[in-house]
Amino acid sequence: MSITPVTSTPGVARDGATVYEAGNYGVVTGKNTNGTNAGFLVLRDASAASTYRFTIGDPGTTLRLNDDGTVTVLNANGQFVNYLSAPWARDANNRDLPTSYSVEGNNITQHIDTTGAAFPVVADPSSECGVGWCSAYFNRTETKQIAAGGPLAATLISGACVAINPWAGLGCAIATGGVVGMAIAADSTGDCIGLFFTPVGSNPFIEPRGTAHCY
């Protein structure tokens, strides 16, 4: 069964997020720790659908599914406007569930295999880039390696720049010393570090432990 999430239903504000109720599933929208938009599907029980369709942009928008499960979003002129990271889904026992995207026109569908899952299940069709910005995330192991400094830290940081730049054409003026300093602070509390890229450079930020990006 497939469902198109309905967000025309009035949302309820809860703890800084907006919750849309829709029977056996819900949609939660809010902000990531770096201020960018975030949205999550919450499947309440086994009667919830296994596929969910979202419309991106307008009819002139084109979606391109990449080999790594990510999706590139192009406008009517074929220009890059956004990037969707590979989807994830986890059950109530924090077990990763098989999930993937399919695209048609400007519609993207997330498929979730909930076989044997403990409910509720949380899934994330997430956006990593917008017009003029992109974010790169490092897990706890990578954060510790960056905090140690040296050639490995520089390699990880420059690697993030190279990974982002082809997608968005953003500048990568990275002050390695500042990133290492923030990584030290993040590592001391078991958190992670990320990089927020803009056309004029980048800034590091701390991603709290326990999020989808900090494990």
Side-chain angles (χ1 to χ4, degrees), residues 136-209:
Y137 298 87
F138 300 98
N139 61 35
R140 292 176 67 187
T141 298
E142 293 165 335
T143 296
K144 184 178 291 294
Q145 292 169 335
I146 293 173
L152 180 56
T155 298
L156 287 168
I157 295 168
S158 62
C161 177
V162 171
I164 289 294
N165 203 44
W167 291 110
L170 300 179
C172 287
I174 301 175
T176 301
V179 178
V180 170
M182 187 162 286
I184 292 172
D187 183 52
S188 69
T189 55
D191 296 320
C192 300
I193 192 171
L195 292 173
F196 183 73
F197 294 89
T198 72
V200 295
S202 64
N203 294 296
F205 61 87
I206 291 178
E207 180 78 359
R209 178 177 52 187

Side-chain angles (χ1 to χ4, degrees), residues 1 24-25 41-52 88-92 95-100 110-123:
M1 180 170 61
N24 54 12
Y25 77 96
L41 283 167
V42 180
L43 284 58
R44 293 200 179 100
D45 55 48
S47 68
S50 59
T51 59
Y52 294 82
W88 58 263
R90 293 193 183 95
D91 73 359
R95 181 171 67 94
D96 290 325
L97 303 176
T99 184
S100 62
Q110 182 169 3
H111 306 264
I112 307 166
D113 184 353
T114 59
T115 303
F119 289 86
V121 167
V122 177

Side-chain angles (χ1 to χ4, degrees), residues 55-63 73-79 81 105-106:
T55 298
I56 307 294
D58 56 37
T61 301
T62 299
L63 304 179
V73 183
L74 306 172
N75 64 17
N77 297 319
Q79 299 171 318
V81 293
N106 66 325

Side-chain angles (χ1 to χ4, degrees), residues 63-133:
L63 304 179
R64 185 174 67 203
L65 183 62
N66 304 309
D67 291 341
D68 61 357
T70 62
V71 175
T72 303
V73 183
L74 306 172
N75 64 17
N77 297 319
Q79 299 171 318
F80 171 94
V81 293
N82 213 331
Y83 169 68
L84 304 179
S85 60
W88 58 263
R90 293 193 183 95
D91 73 359
N93 293 329
N94 206 34
R95 181 171 67 94
D96 290 325
L97 303 176
T99 184
S100 62
Y101 286 142
S102 62
V103 300
E104 182 179 0
N106 66 325
N107 293 310
I108 183 170
T109 301
Q110 182 169 3
H111 306 264
I112 307 166
D113 184 353
T114 59
T115 303
F119 289 86
V121 167
V122 177
D124 177 29
S126 60
S127 171
E128 295 295 347
C129 293
V131 178
W133 59 264

